[in-house]
């Protein structure tokens, strides 16, 4: 049990790890996430309000209210000698110190880098910044929008005939804060390995690039960029995702499997002719992709599904689809989420006194509203840890850490990388599981990706393909998520294949799967089975919605989870239907959480020898990124909605056209003083004058007219000219970059972000690197992604100990396919 203001809570993995939080709004998510994992976090808050776009309710920034719950506040004044002494004591005790910049908080207390190491020779120092601490953009002003524009995801979101769009609720800094935890835990393992201090530099721009999924390296891989297409899935076919229904919208993919399962309903409702039952739905997708004859034309399938959806409510479609085995995902808003019975059944919510009330004692004052906030995003050994959601409050005495379990001796770890020696059995597929396992692989672990030609990973058959030529070993969608791994082709539907899988599990330190709940257990490879085979293995399972609820068996992808989790509704324009984020958004959110949990479990096993089973639902991970909006809805009855690129408290802000073909630039004017500089940079045009425009409130009321003036100015200039002019004036500005721009971005060249590695089939391939840098350490990726089954013989013999004759017998069973 660890001190948490006036309350205690269950710490299951990080066991009171002392963490010092010096972040502002750009990094505060990270310390909060560490507290969920069991760290003891003391927060020294920055003076004053730091986020100009904050949602203020009851006099408090809602993000600050939520993302400081469970922390101990230590308001310290750098001008006070006593407080400077206290800060030195906290630094000396902390295992991890998190800061943001520029400017950074710690130097204000007179502690530079040398002083930090002198006070704490094994400290892990993590700094979150817009672009990284060094490089040509390091000191560039930035906002949520401009970082996302320069990182790439803005470019591929929205409809083609309007400006590209960002999320309508803050996401950039939440992503960056979550990734800082992954970076901190990797660095902590390295500090334990080396006995030396670690300095970690997290780039929010790089973090947002990772939300582009298959678009990160698209230009160099396939010869062209992906472009925004609205709510359309651009893979081997152009497939509309969004369909209008009686009370909103749902996500339903037009494909052969869904045609097979839904055609009886379509016939029953008189939408299609009974002859649809004669279509060969099993082979339908291949024939459509290859341009072959089908009795049901693809456009008719799309039209029929749309007409079906129009007749029913979101809930009716969800339930009937579930009964038929078809994923029809409702496009939820925050009100829908608070009423979603699946979350209730899984015990997800924490019901607490509203953190904006300043009621850390939780004394039940009837004037204090009770609200629901997201609970812990994972379960451990079937139990959801009870994490504190009480408001952070200063203690009565000078702050000090309560103490934690001793760190392992450096001599306990050998090798060049922090996870050298770990063996991971990776049974996952698509996005969340593979990205999680990739972290361990890039940092030294032997990760065996178990896959089969008979159940090929869906990403292997999706673009971008090398040279735009399809093939299971040519997709960089698969490739980027599976660097540094070995591939063993084993069919788990074959009895001998299951025997081989059990042999791998016997050797493994970690076992990961991402199938629908119950799938692995039916093969005799569920968590309980694995614990019996190898009680020392950490097991990790992740799925769309998690087990134990009415919709647990729902299978789907990140775009389904993005709809259910409320994100699809929050990207686009207020006068248009929701367009949603690019592709499978929660596949970019959930791995940050799952990886942090897994690294915490690995840390616990190193300290205590305990293994355990982690389960995390993509939905519940994603909702951590909407916690302030869930709170605001309950307090003020306001449902966040699409607003293009507008901000709550900034004006002007938007994405504006530039000279050239579909060229755009993002601009944010953060306050009244910046507005004055912005006007001067534009030559003080008449449309920008007037007393009403001198305040942000006035500019918000005239935003349309301001946008017209800005667009006229930007459209006569190139992206480079606009960026150079406004950057010189200290304005937050950024080109809306494509993957082709990112591959040549001087900031990324400085950070060595893209790694070009030799692939066994397609030659030299670019892979996006990690979103953080650890000084003095080559963080990988180490090797290119494997071809399907490329290392089967090597794994069977070198790792699993089969001799050549045994391998021949295994091959004869037909399981090595």
């Amino acid at each position: 049990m660890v001190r948490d203001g006036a309350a205690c809570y269950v710490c299951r993995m990080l066991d009171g790890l002392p963490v010092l939080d010096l972040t502002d709004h750009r990094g505060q998510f990270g310390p909060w996430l560490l507290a969920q994992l069991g760290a003891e976090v003391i927060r020294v808050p920055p003076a004053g309000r730091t986020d100009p776009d904050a949602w203020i309710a009851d006099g408090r920034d809602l993000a600050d209210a939520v993302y400081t719950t469970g922390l101990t506040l230590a308001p310290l004044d750098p001008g006070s000698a006593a407080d400077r002494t206290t800060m030195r004591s906290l630094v000396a005790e902390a295992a991890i110190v998190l800061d943001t910049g520029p400017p950074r908080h710690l130097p204000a207390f007179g502690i530079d880098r040398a002083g930090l190491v002198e006070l704490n020779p094994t400290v892990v120092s993590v700094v979150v910044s817009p672009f990284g601490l060094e490089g040509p953009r390091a000191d560039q002003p930035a906002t949520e929008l401009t970082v996302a524009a320069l990182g790439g995801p803005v470019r591929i979101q929205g409809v083609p005939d309007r400006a590209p769009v960002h999320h309508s609720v803050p996401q950039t800094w939440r992503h960056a804060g979550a990734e800082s935890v992954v970076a901190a835990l990797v660095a902590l393992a390295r500090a334990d390995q080396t006995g030396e201090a670690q300095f970690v530099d997290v780039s929010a721009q790089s973090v947002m690039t990772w939300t582009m999924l298959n678009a990160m390296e698209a230009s160099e891989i396939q010869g062209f960029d992906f472009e925004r297409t609205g709510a359309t899935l651009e893979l081997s076919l152009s497939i509309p995702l969004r369909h209008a229904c009686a009370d909103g919208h749902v996500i339903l993919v037009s494909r052969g499997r869904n045609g097979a399962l839904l055609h009886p309903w379509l016939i029953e409702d008189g939408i299609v002719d009974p002859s649809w039952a004669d279509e060969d739905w099993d082979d339908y997708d291949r024939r459509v992709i290859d341009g072959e004859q089908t009795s049901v034309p693809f456009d008719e399938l799309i039209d029929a599904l749309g007409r079906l959806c129009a007749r029913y409510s979101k809930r009716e479609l969800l339930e009937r689809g579930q009964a038929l085995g078809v994923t029809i995902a409702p496009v939820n808003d925050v009100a829908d989420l608070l009423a979603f019975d699946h979350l209730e059944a899984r015990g997800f919510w924490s019901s607490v006194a509203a953190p904006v009330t300043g009621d850390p004692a939780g004394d039940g004052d009837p004037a204090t509203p009770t609200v629901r906030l997201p609970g812990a995003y994972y379960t451990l050994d079937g139990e959801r840890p009870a994490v504190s959601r009480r408001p952070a409050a200063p203690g009565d005495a000078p702050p000090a850490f309560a103490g934690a379990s001793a760190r392992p001796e450096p001599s306990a770890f050998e090798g060049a990388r922090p996870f050298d020696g770990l063996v991971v059995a990776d049974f996952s597929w698509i996005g969340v599981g593979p990205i999680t396992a990739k972290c361990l692989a890039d940092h030294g672990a032997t990760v065996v990706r178990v896959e089969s030609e008979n159940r090929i990973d869906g990403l292997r058959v999706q673009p971008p393909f090398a040279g735009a030529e399809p093939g299971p070993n040519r997709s960089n969608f698969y490739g980027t998520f599976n660097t540094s791994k070995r591939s063993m082709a084993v069919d788990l539907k074959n009895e001998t294949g299951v025997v081989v899988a059990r042999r791998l599990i016997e050797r493994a330190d970690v076992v990961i799967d991402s199938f629908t709940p119950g799938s692995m257990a039916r093969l005799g490879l569920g968590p309980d089975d694995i614990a019996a085979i190898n009680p020392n293995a950490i097991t990790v399972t992740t799925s769309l919605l998690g087990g134990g609820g009415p919709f647990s068996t729902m299978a789907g992808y990140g775009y389904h989870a993005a709809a259910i989790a409320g994100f699809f509704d929050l990207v686009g324009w207020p006068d248009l239907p929701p367009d949603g984020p690019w592709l499978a958004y929660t596949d970019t959110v959930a791995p940050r959480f799952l990886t942090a949990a897994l690294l915490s479990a690995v840390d616990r096993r190193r300290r205590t020898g305990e293994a355990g089973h982690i389960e995390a639902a993509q939905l519940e991970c994603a909702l951590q990124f909407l916690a302030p909006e869930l709170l605001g809805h309950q307090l003020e009855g306001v449902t966040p909605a699409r607003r293009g690129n507008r901000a709550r408290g900034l004006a002007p802000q938007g994405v504006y056209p530039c000279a050239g073909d579909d060229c755009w630039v993002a601009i944010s004017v953060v306050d009244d003083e910046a507005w004055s500089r912005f006007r001067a940079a534009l030559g003080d045009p008449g449309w920008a004058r007037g007393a009403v425009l001198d305040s942000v409130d006035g500019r918000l009321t005239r935003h349309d007219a301001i946008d017209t003036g800005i667009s006229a100015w930007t459209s006569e200039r190139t992206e480079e000219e606009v960026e150079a002019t406004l950057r010189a004036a200290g304005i937050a500005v950024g080109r809306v970059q494509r993957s082709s721009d990112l591959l040549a971005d001087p900031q990324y060249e400085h950070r060595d972000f893209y790694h070009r590695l030799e692939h066994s089939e397609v030659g030299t391939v670019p892979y996006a690197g990690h979103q953080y840098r650890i000084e003095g350490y080559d963080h990988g990726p180490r090797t290119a992604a494997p071809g399907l089954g490329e290392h089967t013989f090597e794994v069977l013999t070198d790792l699993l100990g089969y001799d050549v004759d045994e391998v021949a017998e295994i091959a004869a069973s037909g399981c090595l396919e």
Side-chain angles (χ1 to χ4, degrees), residues 318-551:
L318 172 66
E319 292 180 343
R320 183 78 180 268
Q322 176 80 350
L324 295 173
V326 177
T327 300
I328 307 178
V331 176
N332 286 330
D333 60 24
V334 294
D336 297 321
L337 289 162
L338 288 163
F340 189 31
D341 52 347
H342 182 85
L343 292 169
E344 186 78 33
R346 279 180 50 82
F348 173 65
W349 299 109
S350 292
S351 294
V352 297
V356 294
T357 63
D359 180 32
D363 57 11
D365 183 343
T368 301
T370 298
V371 295
R372 285 182 159 191
L373 292 177
Y377 70 87
Y378 67 99
T379 65
L380 181 63
D381 294 330
E383 177 184 350
R384 192 181 299 273
V387 294
S388 173
R389 291 292 179 258
R390 296 299 185 196
D396 296 328
F401 291 105
S405 298
R407 302 301 305 166
E409 291 295 325
S411 60
F413 308 103
E414 298 179 356
R417 296 176 183 270
F419 302 119
D420 278 348
L422 279 181
V423 175
V424 179
D426 181 5
F427 293 97
S428 64
W429 75 324
I430 308 294
V432 177
I435 294 172
T436 300
K438 165 191 162 68
C439 176
L440 292 177
D442 285 349
H443 293 297
T446 298
V447 177
V448 179
R449 180 68 196 274
V450 180
E451 46 189 338
S452 169
E453 290 182 2
N454 296 327
R455 194 180 193 277
I456 198 167
D457 189 316
L459 297 192
R460 283 193 178 273
V461 294
Q462 301 298 345
F465 297 109
E469 178 185 339
N473 295 324
R474 304 183 67 83
S475 170
N476 231 46
F477 200 171
Y478 173 92
T480 294
F481 298 167
N482 290 279
T483 55
S484 308
K485 298 182 184 179
R486 304 178 189 182
S487 171
M488 179 172 68
V490 173
D491 186 353
L492 297 181
K493 293 182 179 180
N494 181 301
E495 291 183 6
T496 303
V498 173
V499 172
V500 172
R502 291 173 65 90
R503 181 80 159 253
L504 175 60
I505 288 168
E506 289 174 359
R507 303 290 195 274
D509 300 285
V510 177
V511 182
I512 302 177
D513 87 83
S514 61
F515 299 114
T516 304
S519 299
M520 290 291 280
R522 287 190 289 273
L523 298 172
L525 301 175
D528 291 341
D529 303 304
I530 293 170
I533 298 167
N534 179 357
N536 295 317
I538 299 166
T539 55
V540 180
T541 61
T542 181
S543 61
L544 201 70
L545 301 183
F551 299 101

Side-chain angles (χ1 to χ4, degrees), residues 72-126:
T72 297
L73 289 185
L76 300 179
D77 179 1
S80 162
D83 284 356
R84 289 162 73 93
T85 298
T86 299
M87 176 63 84
R88 292 175 65 85
S89 297
L90 292 173
V91 167
E93 296 170 1
I96 299 172
V97 177
L98 295 110
D99 204 345
T100 43
R104 297 174 61 182
H105 199 175
L106 191 60
F109 288 85
I111 302 175
D112 59 13
R113 175 172 171 156
L116 181 63
V117 176
E118 182 180 352
L119 288 167
N120 190 335
T122 60
V123 71
V124 172
S125 172
V126 182

